[in-house]
Amino acid sequence: MQEKYINYIGWVASIMAIAMYVSYIDQIKMNLTGVRGSFIQPLAATVNSIAWAGYGYLKPKKDWPMIVCNVTGIVLSGVTFYTAL
């Protein structure tokens, strides 16, 4: 029962993390229209997401909630970083 509860919390936290990364879409739009934001925060988020996705993948029992939300973070924060340059 506890394992099921912990897995549920992991997926809820992953959905919240995805929502956080989806918020980059507005900044991407602004970057593409010439209102460039700072590239430092999305760069840090990209590196952080790569580290956490790698950690979740390399665990003996893959941590899919962690992997899924951080792959989303890699993509969206990476695009935000690139468009901010």
Side-chain angles (χ1 to χ4, degrees):
M1 180 68 165
Q2 186 173 356
E3 179 72 27
K4 184 177 180 179
Y5 182 70
I6 291 170
N7 192 42
Y8 174 76
I9 291 172
W11 280 109
V12 169
S14 292
I15 290 167
M16 292 187 309
I18 289 170
M20 177 184 66
Y21 290 124
V22 166
S23 70
Y24 275 126
I25 292 173
D26 187 49
Q27 185 61 48
I28 293 167
K29 288 179 187 176
M30 290 172 38
N31 288 343
L32 292 174
T33 60
V35 183
R36 300 229 189 275
S38 174
F39 67 88
I40 296 169
Q41 198 281 333
L43 174 61
T46 303
V47 172
N48 180 60
S49 294
I50 290 168
W52 280 111
Y55 172 76
Y57 183 79
L58 294 172
K59 288 177 70 174
K61 183 178 180 227
K62 294 188 183 350
D63 190 336
W64 288 109
M66 185 182 299
I67 295 167
V68 169
C69 71
N70 282 292
V71 166
T72 304
I74 292 167
V75 172
L76 290 173
S77 61
V79 170
T80 306
F81 166 72
Y82 179 76
T83 60
L85 295 177

